[in-house]
Amino acid sequence: MSTLRERLNTGVAAGVGLTFATPQLVELCGRVGFHWALIDCEHGAFSAEGMEHAIVAADGVNLPVMVRPASDRPEAILSALDRGAAGVQVPHVATAAQADAIVRAVKFEPRGNRGLGTSVRAAGYGIDLDLAAYMADANRETIVCVQIEDREGLANVAEIAAVPGVDIVFVGPMDLSQALGHPGDLARPEFRRDVERAFDAAHAAGVMTGTSGNAAWVRYGVGLGARYVYTSLGGVLQPGAREFIASTQTAPSR
């Protein structure tokens, strides 16, 4: 089983964002071929137990899971990581100091101050635990993705990307377009120039980039160098569902 980090190091990782999920739905996403899934606790309906059930199902089909916590609070980040998430995608990151605090919440000593629980799922419930190896593996593999989606974050993106431990700078197009005064107008030339400047600043710092949206927007992001991309489950379901429904209405009568 390759990790999400390994996938990102070799090419584009195409994911699916889930605002609700049963274990069976997560399993289906893995079997259909997605490279990873996002459990969205910012906009979605996930309890801590539901998040863990989703990650257990994902592990069964070798589907890495990222979690978007509802906030940058250390306890929200820890909840995702203790349950076995590959990393966190933290919304509304506006400053380098905030990004550094997020990294510290993700990493164990000596880089960070993540709470050390040895009976949690991520640690194999403590059974035959090699503590030093567990901590080293977590510090090496866990992914820190920070979302740029506000004016302040856009202005500070170079400094944010330069924070040691930040792996991915993610441009959130909907919130960023809203913050800039033209919500949802992703084709606006000045908006695209802002997005491109953010990508360029991240790449100059040696950091990967990501974005999400429909296929056209994601293709645009990949063209700018994004490797960490995803779309919503509804966005995938809608075209196929409508095509199927339409096909049933045009069949020749007998």
Side-chain angles (χ1 to χ4, degrees):
M1 173 182 176
S2 63
T3 66
L4 178 55
R5 186 179 293 278
E6 288 170 339
R7 178 83 198 189
L8 290 165
N9 284 337
T10 58
V12 175
V16 58
L18 302 171
T19 53
F20 61 92
T22 62
Q24 295 90 340
L25 179 59
V26 175
E27 184 181 41
L28 184 152
C29 288
R31 290 189 182 280
V32 82
F34 284 108
H35 300 144
W36 63 281
L38 176 74
I39 298 299
D40 189 349
C41 298
E42 181 191 18
H43 296 289
F46 283 97
S47 65
E49 182 180 30
M51 182 202 311
E52 184 160 306
H53 289 170
I55 296 173
V56 170
D59 285 352
V61 287
N62 295 334
L63 180 69
V65 170
M66 293 285 288
V67 171
R68 176 157 57 192
S71 75
D72 66 351
R73 297 191 315 273
E75 60 269 26
I77 292 170
L78 180 62
S79 179
L81 299 181
D82 275 354
R83 284 163 177 79
V88 289
Q89 178 182 317
V90 182
H92 295 287
V93 177
T95 67
Q98 184 186 4
D100 185 68
I102 291 165
V103 172
R104 287 187 285 109
V106 169
K107 305 295 184 181
F108 293 119
E109 296 286 351
R111 177 64 183 94
N113 53 14
R114 171 180 167 182
L116 179 57
T118 57
S119 62
V120 297
R121 182 173 183 274
Y125 309 106
I127 299 169
D128 297 327
L129 178 65
D130 181 334
L131 183 59
Y134 167 61
M135 295 174 69
D137 288 347
N139 277 357
R140 182 180 62 252
E141 294 295 338
T142 306
I143 294 170
V144 178
C145 174
V146 295
Q147 291 194 199
I148 305 300
E149 46 193 348
D150 306 288
R151 285 183 180 272
E152 188 177 6
L154 185 63
N156 295 326
V157 64
E159 292 81 4
I160 291 168
V163 171
V166 168
D167 297 299
I168 302 167
V169 167
F170 179 94
V171 174
M174 297 308 292
D175 273 332
L176 184 59
S177 66
Q178 175 183 227
L180 296 177
H182 35 82
D185 188 0
L186 308 189
R188 196 179 185 95
E190 57 264 42
F191 177 71
R192 295 216 167 187
R193 285 194 292 270
D194 285 332
V195 170
E196 289 162 19
R197 281 195 291 269
F199 272 61
D200 289 345
H203 294 153
V207 172
M208 288 184 283
T209 49
T211 194
S212 66
N214 61 26
W217 176 260
V218 166
R219 280 195 299 270
Y220 167 68
V222 170
L224 297 178
R227 291 190 175 187
Y228 175 90
V229 297
Y230 69 93
T231 193
S232 69
L233 183 62
V236 172
L237 177 64
Q238 177 180 306
R242 289 186 173 173
E243 180 183 359
F244 169 75
I245 293 165
S247 73
T248 69
Q249 306 305 302
T250 57
S253 58
R254 297 183 61 182

